Short mmCIF file of all heavy atoms in Angstrom, two decimals:
data_model
loop_
_atom_site.label_atom_id
_atom_site.label_comp_id
_atom_site.label_asym_id
_atom_site.label_seq_id
_atom_site.Cartn_x
_atom_site.Cartn_y
_atom_site.Cartn_z
N ASP A 554 -37.76 -5.22 -46.47
CA ASP A 554 -37.46 -3.84 -46.95
C ASP A 554 -37.27 -3.76 -48.52
O ASP A 554 -36.75 -2.79 -48.92
CB ASP A 554 -36.16 -3.40 -46.17
CG ASP A 554 -36.43 -3.26 -44.71
OD1 ASP A 554 -37.55 -3.13 -44.24
OD2 ASP A 554 -35.40 -3.28 -43.97
N ASN A 555 -37.66 -4.83 -49.19
CA ASN A 555 -37.62 -4.81 -50.59
C ASN A 555 -36.19 -4.68 -51.09
O ASN A 555 -35.99 -4.05 -52.19
CB ASN A 555 -38.53 -3.86 -51.20
CG ASN A 555 -38.86 -4.25 -52.60
OD1 ASN A 555 -38.89 -5.41 -53.06
ND2 ASN A 555 -39.27 -3.16 -53.41
N PHE A 556 -35.14 -5.10 -50.40
CA PHE A 556 -33.68 -5.02 -50.79
C PHE A 556 -33.42 -3.66 -51.29
O PHE A 556 -32.73 -3.41 -52.26
CB PHE A 556 -33.48 -5.99 -51.89
CG PHE A 556 -33.79 -7.50 -51.51
CD1 PHE A 556 -34.95 -8.05 -51.96
CD2 PHE A 556 -32.83 -8.17 -50.87
CE1 PHE A 556 -35.24 -9.46 -51.59
CE2 PHE A 556 -33.09 -9.59 -50.50
CZ PHE A 556 -34.42 -9.99 -50.79
N THR A 557 -33.82 -2.75 -50.23
CA THR A 557 -33.60 -1.32 -50.63
C THR A 557 -33.24 -0.56 -49.37
O THR A 557 -33.75 -0.83 -48.25
CB THR A 557 -34.93 -0.58 -51.15
OG1 THR A 557 -35.36 -1.36 -52.28
CG2 THR A 557 -34.76 0.83 -51.52
N CYS A 558 -32.25 0.36 -49.44
CA CYS A 558 -31.85 1.16 -48.26
C CYS A 558 -33.14 1.90 -47.86
O CYS A 558 -33.61 2.68 -48.59
CB CYS A 558 -30.76 2.19 -48.59
SG CYS A 558 -30.26 3.29 -47.21
N GLN A 559 -33.46 1.77 -46.46
CA GLN A 559 -34.57 2.48 -45.97
C GLN A 559 -34.40 3.92 -45.66
O GLN A 559 -35.30 4.61 -45.20
CB GLN A 559 -35.16 1.73 -44.72
CG GLN A 559 -35.55 0.25 -45.08
CD GLN A 559 -36.66 0.23 -46.08
OE1 GLN A 559 -37.83 0.62 -45.73
NE2 GLN A 559 -36.30 -0.20 -47.27
N ARG A 560 -33.18 4.38 -45.92
CA ARG A 560 -32.85 5.77 -45.59
C ARG A 560 -32.73 6.61 -46.90
O ARG A 560 -33.35 7.70 -47.03
CB ARG A 560 -31.69 5.88 -44.79
CG ARG A 560 -31.44 7.24 -44.14
CD ARG A 560 -30.40 7.17 -43.09
NE ARG A 560 -30.32 8.46 -42.27
CZ ARG A 560 -29.35 8.71 -41.53
NH1 ARG A 560 -28.36 8.01 -41.44
NH2 ARG A 560 -29.43 9.93 -40.84
N CYS A 561 -32.02 6.09 -47.88
CA CYS A 561 -31.84 6.84 -49.20
C CYS A 561 -32.43 6.22 -50.34
O CYS A 561 -32.45 6.83 -51.39
CB CYS A 561 -30.28 7.05 -49.45
SG CYS A 561 -29.42 5.56 -49.94
N GLY A 562 -33.00 4.98 -50.27
CA GLY A 562 -33.61 4.39 -51.36
C GLY A 562 -32.72 3.54 -52.27
O GLY A 562 -33.16 3.03 -53.28
N MET A 563 -31.37 3.47 -52.05
CA MET A 563 -30.50 2.70 -52.91
C MET A 563 -30.92 1.26 -52.93
O MET A 563 -31.10 0.71 -51.98
CB MET A 563 -28.99 2.86 -52.48
CG MET A 563 -27.99 2.20 -53.35
SD MET A 563 -26.37 2.32 -52.68
CE MET A 563 -25.85 3.77 -53.61
N THR A 564 -31.02 0.66 -54.26
CA THR A 564 -31.32 -0.71 -54.31
C THR A 564 -30.10 -1.59 -54.25
O THR A 564 -28.97 -1.22 -54.16
CB THR A 564 -31.95 -0.89 -55.79
OG1 THR A 564 -30.92 -0.65 -56.76
CG2 THR A 564 -33.16 -0.03 -56.08
N ARG A 565 -30.42 -2.86 -54.05
CA ARG A 565 -29.34 -3.88 -53.93
C ARG A 565 -28.42 -3.81 -55.22
O ARG A 565 -27.23 -3.78 -55.05
CB ARG A 565 -29.96 -5.20 -53.77
CG ARG A 565 -28.98 -6.35 -53.57
CD ARG A 565 -29.75 -7.65 -53.38
NE ARG A 565 -29.28 -8.36 -52.24
CZ ARG A 565 -29.69 -9.55 -51.88
NH1 ARG A 565 -30.67 -10.12 -52.50
NH2 ARG A 565 -29.22 -10.15 -50.72
N ARG A 566 -28.98 -3.82 -56.43
CA ARG A 566 -28.20 -3.76 -57.54
C ARG A 566 -27.27 -2.50 -57.62
O ARG A 566 -26.10 -2.57 -57.99
CB ARG A 566 -29.11 -3.73 -58.82
CG ARG A 566 -28.40 -3.53 -60.18
CD ARG A 566 -29.28 -3.43 -61.30
NE ARG A 566 -29.49 -4.76 -61.83
CZ ARG A 566 -30.23 -5.02 -62.87
NH1 ARG A 566 -30.93 -4.12 -63.43
NH2 ARG A 566 -30.31 -6.19 -63.37
N GLU A 567 -27.85 -1.32 -57.25
CA GLU A 567 -27.08 -0.14 -57.24
C GLU A 567 -25.93 -0.25 -56.22
O GLU A 567 -24.80 0.13 -56.46
CB GLU A 567 -27.93 1.08 -56.93
CG GLU A 567 -29.04 1.43 -58.04
CD GLU A 567 -30.02 2.42 -57.53
OE1 GLU A 567 -30.22 2.53 -56.22
OE2 GLU A 567 -30.54 3.07 -58.27
N HIS A 568 -26.23 -0.87 -55.10
CA HIS A 568 -25.21 -0.95 -54.04
C HIS A 568 -24.10 -1.84 -54.51
O HIS A 568 -22.95 -1.54 -54.30
CB HIS A 568 -25.79 -1.58 -52.75
CG HIS A 568 -25.09 -1.39 -51.62
ND1 HIS A 568 -24.17 -2.29 -51.14
CD2 HIS A 568 -24.99 -0.30 -50.69
CE1 HIS A 568 -23.69 -1.73 -49.89
NE2 HIS A 568 -24.13 -0.62 -49.77
N TYR A 569 -24.46 -2.91 -55.22
CA TYR A 569 -23.33 -3.80 -55.79
C TYR A 569 -22.56 -3.07 -56.82
O TYR A 569 -21.22 -3.23 -56.76
CB TYR A 569 -23.90 -5.05 -56.40
CG TYR A 569 -24.05 -6.28 -55.44
CD1 TYR A 569 -25.35 -6.68 -55.14
CD2 TYR A 569 -22.97 -6.82 -54.87
CE1 TYR A 569 -25.59 -7.79 -54.28
CE2 TYR A 569 -23.08 -7.92 -53.98
CZ TYR A 569 -24.29 -8.45 -53.64
OH TYR A 569 -24.42 -9.45 -52.81
N GLU A 570 -23.15 -2.34 -57.63
CA GLU A 570 -22.36 -1.54 -58.65
C GLU A 570 -21.43 -0.48 -58.03
O GLU A 570 -20.31 -0.29 -58.40
CB GLU A 570 -23.35 -0.82 -59.58
CG GLU A 570 -24.16 -1.75 -60.46
CD GLU A 570 -25.17 -1.06 -61.23
OE1 GLU A 570 -25.42 0.13 -61.20
OE2 GLU A 570 -25.89 -1.80 -62.08
N VAL A 571 -21.91 0.22 -56.94
CA VAL A 571 -21.08 1.24 -56.22
C VAL A 571 -20.04 0.62 -55.34
O VAL A 571 -18.86 1.07 -55.31
CB VAL A 571 -22.00 2.26 -55.60
CG1 VAL A 571 -21.20 3.23 -54.84
CG2 VAL A 571 -22.96 2.89 -56.58
N PHE A 572 -20.50 -0.29 -54.54
CA PHE A 572 -19.64 -0.74 -53.41
C PHE A 572 -19.06 -2.26 -53.53
O PHE A 572 -18.31 -2.64 -52.74
CB PHE A 572 -20.39 -0.60 -51.97
CG PHE A 572 -20.75 0.70 -51.71
CD1 PHE A 572 -22.12 1.03 -51.69
CD2 PHE A 572 -19.81 1.67 -51.44
CE1 PHE A 572 -22.46 2.39 -51.37
CE2 PHE A 572 -20.30 3.03 -51.01
CZ PHE A 572 -21.52 3.37 -51.04
N SER A 573 -19.56 -2.94 -54.57
CA SER A 573 -19.19 -4.39 -54.83
C SER A 573 -19.43 -5.17 -53.62
O SER A 573 -18.70 -6.14 -53.28
CB SER A 573 -17.68 -4.41 -55.13
OG SER A 573 -17.44 -3.70 -56.31
N GLN A 574 -20.57 -5.00 -52.92
CA GLN A 574 -21.01 -5.73 -51.77
C GLN A 574 -22.47 -5.61 -51.56
O GLN A 574 -23.03 -4.70 -52.15
CB GLN A 574 -20.17 -5.40 -50.55
CG GLN A 574 -20.55 -3.90 -50.05
CD GLN A 574 -19.80 -3.50 -48.84
OE1 GLN A 574 -20.45 -3.12 -47.91
NE2 GLN A 574 -18.42 -3.65 -48.74
N ASP A 575 -23.05 -6.54 -50.81
CA ASP A 575 -24.46 -6.52 -50.48
C ASP A 575 -24.77 -5.29 -49.57
O ASP A 575 -24.03 -4.78 -48.93
CB ASP A 575 -24.94 -7.78 -49.85
CG ASP A 575 -26.44 -8.10 -50.13
OD1 ASP A 575 -27.21 -7.21 -50.66
OD2 ASP A 575 -26.82 -9.17 -49.65
N LEU A 576 -26.10 -4.95 -49.51
CA LEU A 576 -26.61 -3.98 -48.68
C LEU A 576 -26.31 -4.42 -47.11
O LEU A 576 -26.09 -5.62 -46.96
CB LEU A 576 -28.10 -3.88 -48.85
CG LEU A 576 -28.60 -3.11 -50.00
CD1 LEU A 576 -30.06 -3.41 -50.26
CD2 LEU A 576 -28.36 -1.59 -49.87
N HIS A 577 -26.25 -3.57 -46.30
CA HIS A 577 -26.01 -3.85 -44.84
C HIS A 577 -27.35 -4.01 -44.15
O HIS A 577 -28.40 -3.49 -44.51
CB HIS A 577 -25.25 -2.62 -44.22
CG HIS A 577 -23.89 -2.47 -44.69
ND1 HIS A 577 -22.93 -1.80 -44.01
CD2 HIS A 577 -23.24 -2.83 -45.94
CE1 HIS A 577 -21.77 -1.76 -44.65
NE2 HIS A 577 -22.06 -2.47 -45.76
N THR A 578 -27.28 -4.65 -42.97
CA THR A 578 -28.39 -4.82 -42.10
C THR A 578 -27.96 -4.10 -40.78
O THR A 578 -27.00 -4.57 -40.20
CB THR A 578 -28.83 -6.20 -41.85
OG1 THR A 578 -29.07 -6.93 -43.05
CG2 THR A 578 -30.15 -6.33 -41.05
N HIS A 579 -28.71 -3.12 -40.39
CA HIS A 579 -28.41 -2.27 -39.23
C HIS A 579 -29.34 -2.69 -38.01
O HIS A 579 -30.40 -2.89 -38.21
CB HIS A 579 -28.60 -0.83 -39.59
CG HIS A 579 -28.66 0.12 -38.38
ND1 HIS A 579 -27.38 0.38 -37.67
CD2 HIS A 579 -29.59 0.81 -37.72
CE1 HIS A 579 -27.63 1.16 -36.63
NE2 HIS A 579 -28.96 1.50 -36.68
N HIS A 580 -28.59 -2.76 -36.88
CA HIS A 580 -29.39 -3.06 -35.55
C HIS A 580 -29.82 -1.76 -35.17
O HIS A 580 -29.07 -0.82 -34.68
CB HIS A 580 -28.54 -3.78 -34.57
CG HIS A 580 -28.18 -5.15 -34.95
ND1 HIS A 580 -27.10 -5.33 -35.78
CD2 HIS A 580 -28.73 -6.31 -34.49
CE1 HIS A 580 -27.11 -6.81 -35.86
NE2 HIS A 580 -27.99 -7.29 -35.20
N ILE A 581 -31.09 -1.50 -35.00
CA ILE A 581 -31.72 -0.24 -34.61
C ILE A 581 -31.32 0.01 -33.13
O ILE A 581 -30.89 1.10 -32.88
CB ILE A 581 -33.27 -0.32 -34.73
CG1 ILE A 581 -33.72 -0.42 -36.18
CG2 ILE A 581 -33.85 0.99 -34.10
CD1 ILE A 581 -35.14 -0.84 -36.37
N VAL A 582 -31.40 -0.93 -32.27
CA VAL A 582 -30.91 -0.87 -31.00
C VAL A 582 -29.54 -1.61 -30.99
O VAL A 582 -29.70 -2.89 -31.18
CB VAL A 582 -31.77 -1.37 -29.83
CG1 VAL A 582 -31.10 -1.40 -28.56
CG2 VAL A 582 -33.13 -0.68 -29.81
N PRO A 583 -28.42 -1.04 -30.94
CA PRO A 583 -27.23 -1.80 -31.24
C PRO A 583 -27.03 -2.96 -30.25
O PRO A 583 -27.60 -2.87 -29.11
CB PRO A 583 -26.10 -0.74 -30.90
CG PRO A 583 -26.74 0.65 -31.14
CD PRO A 583 -28.17 0.42 -30.79
N ARG A 584 -26.28 -4.03 -30.82
CA ARG A 584 -26.20 -5.18 -29.92
C ARG A 584 -25.42 -4.84 -28.69
O ARG A 584 -25.67 -5.44 -27.60
CB ARG A 584 -25.54 -6.22 -30.77
CG ARG A 584 -26.34 -6.78 -31.89
CD ARG A 584 -25.82 -7.95 -32.65
NE ARG A 584 -24.40 -7.85 -32.66
CZ ARG A 584 -23.67 -8.81 -33.45
NH1 ARG A 584 -24.39 -9.75 -34.16
NH2 ARG A 584 -22.44 -8.77 -33.53
N SER A 585 -24.46 -3.82 -28.80
CA SER A 585 -23.74 -3.56 -27.57
C SER A 585 -24.56 -2.77 -26.49
O SER A 585 -24.18 -2.73 -25.39
CB SER A 585 -22.56 -2.56 -27.98
OG SER A 585 -23.11 -1.45 -28.61
N TRP A 586 -25.82 -2.41 -26.85
CA TRP A 586 -26.62 -1.74 -25.90
C TRP A 586 -27.84 -2.74 -25.56
O TRP A 586 -28.82 -2.33 -24.87
CB TRP A 586 -27.31 -0.46 -26.57
CG TRP A 586 -26.52 0.67 -26.80
CD1 TRP A 586 -25.11 0.71 -26.54
CD2 TRP A 586 -26.80 1.88 -27.40
NE1 TRP A 586 -24.68 1.97 -26.95
CE2 TRP A 586 -25.69 2.67 -27.50
CE3 TRP A 586 -28.01 2.36 -27.90
CZ2 TRP A 586 -25.64 3.89 -28.12
CZ3 TRP A 586 -27.99 3.59 -28.48
CH2 TRP A 586 -26.83 4.37 -28.51
N GLY A 587 -27.69 -3.98 -25.93
CA GLY A 587 -28.58 -4.95 -25.52
C GLY A 587 -29.64 -5.28 -26.64
O GLY A 587 -30.58 -6.04 -26.44
N GLY A 588 -29.48 -4.70 -27.79
CA GLY A 588 -30.36 -5.04 -28.95
C GLY A 588 -30.27 -6.39 -29.50
O GLY A 588 -29.30 -6.98 -29.30
N SER A 589 -31.26 -6.94 -30.14
CA SER A 589 -31.23 -8.30 -30.44
C SER A 589 -31.12 -8.36 -32.08
O SER A 589 -31.10 -7.40 -32.69
CB SER A 589 -32.61 -8.92 -30.21
OG SER A 589 -33.69 -8.50 -30.98
N ASN A 590 -30.99 -9.69 -32.44
CA ASN A 590 -30.95 -9.91 -33.90
C ASN A 590 -32.26 -10.19 -34.54
O ASN A 590 -32.46 -10.62 -35.61
CB ASN A 590 -30.02 -11.08 -34.16
CG ASN A 590 -28.58 -10.90 -34.10
OD1 ASN A 590 -28.14 -9.71 -34.17
ND2 ASN A 590 -27.84 -11.86 -33.65
N TYR A 591 -33.41 -9.95 -33.68
CA TYR A 591 -34.68 -10.20 -34.14
C TYR A 591 -34.92 -9.26 -35.28
O TYR A 591 -34.60 -8.07 -35.26
CB TYR A 591 -35.82 -10.24 -33.14
CG TYR A 591 -35.54 -11.27 -32.02
CD1 TYR A 591 -35.28 -11.04 -30.72
CD2 TYR A 591 -35.61 -12.56 -32.35
CE1 TYR A 591 -35.19 -12.05 -29.76
CE2 TYR A 591 -35.49 -13.62 -31.56
CZ TYR A 591 -35.20 -13.29 -30.18
OH TYR A 591 -35.08 -14.30 -29.31
N MET A 592 -35.90 -9.70 -36.21
CA MET A 592 -36.12 -8.87 -37.43
C MET A 592 -36.70 -7.49 -37.05
O MET A 592 -36.49 -6.56 -37.80
CB MET A 592 -37.10 -9.62 -38.26
CG MET A 592 -37.30 -8.99 -39.64
SD MET A 592 -38.24 -10.00 -40.79
CE MET A 592 -39.79 -9.56 -40.38
N ASP A 593 -37.45 -7.29 -35.98
CA ASP A 593 -38.00 -6.03 -35.63
C ASP A 593 -36.94 -5.09 -35.11
O ASP A 593 -37.17 -3.90 -34.97
CB ASP A 593 -39.14 -6.17 -34.60
CG ASP A 593 -38.69 -6.77 -33.25
OD1 ASP A 593 -37.55 -7.24 -33.21
OD2 ASP A 593 -39.53 -6.69 -32.42
N ASN A 594 -35.71 -5.53 -34.92
CA ASN A 594 -34.63 -4.71 -34.56
C ASN A 594 -33.64 -4.42 -35.72
O ASN A 594 -32.60 -3.85 -35.60
CB ASN A 594 -33.86 -5.22 -33.37
CG ASN A 594 -32.96 -4.22 -32.79
OD1 ASN A 594 -33.12 -2.99 -32.59
ND2 ASN A 594 -31.66 -4.65 -32.48
N LEU A 595 -34.01 -4.98 -36.98
CA LEU A 595 -33.06 -4.84 -38.17
C LEU A 595 -33.69 -3.94 -39.13
O LEU A 595 -35.00 -3.98 -39.34
CB LEU A 595 -32.85 -6.20 -38.70
CG LEU A 595 -32.03 -7.23 -37.80
CD1 LEU A 595 -32.02 -8.61 -38.39
CD2 LEU A 595 -30.74 -6.76 -37.39
N ILE A 596 -32.87 -3.27 -39.78
CA ILE A 596 -33.29 -2.38 -40.97
C ILE A 596 -32.27 -2.45 -42.09
O ILE A 596 -31.11 -2.52 -41.78
CB ILE A 596 -33.65 -0.97 -40.50
CG1 ILE A 596 -34.18 -0.13 -41.76
CG2 ILE A 596 -32.35 -0.30 -39.96
CD1 ILE A 596 -34.79 1.26 -41.20
N THR A 597 -32.57 -2.44 -43.32
CA THR A 597 -31.77 -2.44 -44.45
C THR A 597 -31.26 -1.12 -44.79
O THR A 597 -31.99 -0.16 -45.01
CB THR A 597 -32.44 -3.08 -45.67
OG1 THR A 597 -33.01 -4.43 -45.36
CG2 THR A 597 -31.53 -3.32 -46.74
N LEU A 598 -29.98 -0.95 -44.92
CA LEU A 598 -29.26 0.31 -45.26
C LEU A 598 -28.12 0.15 -46.15
O LEU A 598 -27.49 -0.97 -46.29
CB LEU A 598 -28.67 0.89 -43.92
CG LEU A 598 -29.64 1.32 -42.91
CD1 LEU A 598 -28.87 1.79 -41.64
CD2 LEU A 598 -30.59 2.42 -43.29
N CYS A 599 -27.81 1.12 -47.02
CA CYS A 599 -26.59 1.08 -47.76
C CYS A 599 -25.44 1.41 -46.86
O CYS A 599 -25.51 1.73 -45.69
CB CYS A 599 -26.60 2.14 -48.89
SG CYS A 599 -26.60 3.84 -48.31
N ARG A 600 -24.19 1.17 -47.44
CA ARG A 600 -22.98 1.31 -46.62
C ARG A 600 -22.86 2.75 -46.08
O ARG A 600 -22.62 2.85 -44.85
CB ARG A 600 -21.89 1.03 -47.63
CG ARG A 600 -20.48 1.09 -46.75
CD ARG A 600 -19.38 0.75 -47.70
NE ARG A 600 -18.23 1.56 -47.26
CZ ARG A 600 -17.43 2.33 -48.01
NH1 ARG A 600 -17.72 2.36 -49.40
NH2 ARG A 600 -16.54 3.03 -47.48
N ASN A 601 -23.15 3.80 -46.96
CA ASN A 601 -22.95 5.16 -46.56
C ASN A 601 -24.01 5.57 -45.35
O ASN A 601 -23.63 6.20 -44.36
CB ASN A 601 -23.06 6.12 -47.66
CG ASN A 601 -21.99 6.04 -48.61
OD1 ASN A 601 -20.94 5.61 -48.28
ND2 ASN A 601 -22.16 6.69 -49.76
N CYS A 602 -25.23 5.12 -45.53
CA CYS A 602 -26.27 5.46 -44.50
C CYS A 602 -25.93 4.77 -43.17
O CYS A 602 -26.09 5.27 -42.13
CB CYS A 602 -27.67 5.09 -44.95
SG CYS A 602 -28.21 6.20 -46.28
N HIS A 603 -25.34 3.53 -43.32
CA HIS A 603 -25.09 2.70 -42.15
C HIS A 603 -23.95 3.40 -41.40
O HIS A 603 -23.98 3.54 -40.18
CB HIS A 603 -24.62 1.30 -42.58
CG HIS A 603 -24.72 0.28 -41.41
ND1 HIS A 603 -24.07 -0.89 -41.55
CD2 HIS A 603 -25.24 0.40 -40.19
CE1 HIS A 603 -24.17 -1.58 -40.43
NE2 HIS A 603 -24.91 -0.81 -39.56
#
Side-chain angles (χ1 to χ4, degrees):
D554 295 340
N555 201 27
F556 302 98
T557 304
C558 175
Q559 297 301 290
R560 199 166 187 194
C561 74
M563 181 180 270
T564 66
R565 186 181 226 179
R566 173 185 266 177
E567 293 168 337
H568 199 266
Y569 269 115
E570 290 171 1
V571 174
F572 299 111
S573 301
Q574 60 179 238
D575 203 357
L576 289 161
H577 294 200
T578 308
H579 170 68
H580 290 83
I581 297 165
V582 176
R584 294 186 326 187
S585 61
W586 293 356
S589 73
N590 286 330
Y591 294 122
M592 194 172 83
D593 62 350
N594 191 45
L595 299 174
I596 187 169
T597 305
L598 296 174
C599 71
R600 184 178 145 232
N601 288 346
C602 290
H603 196 194

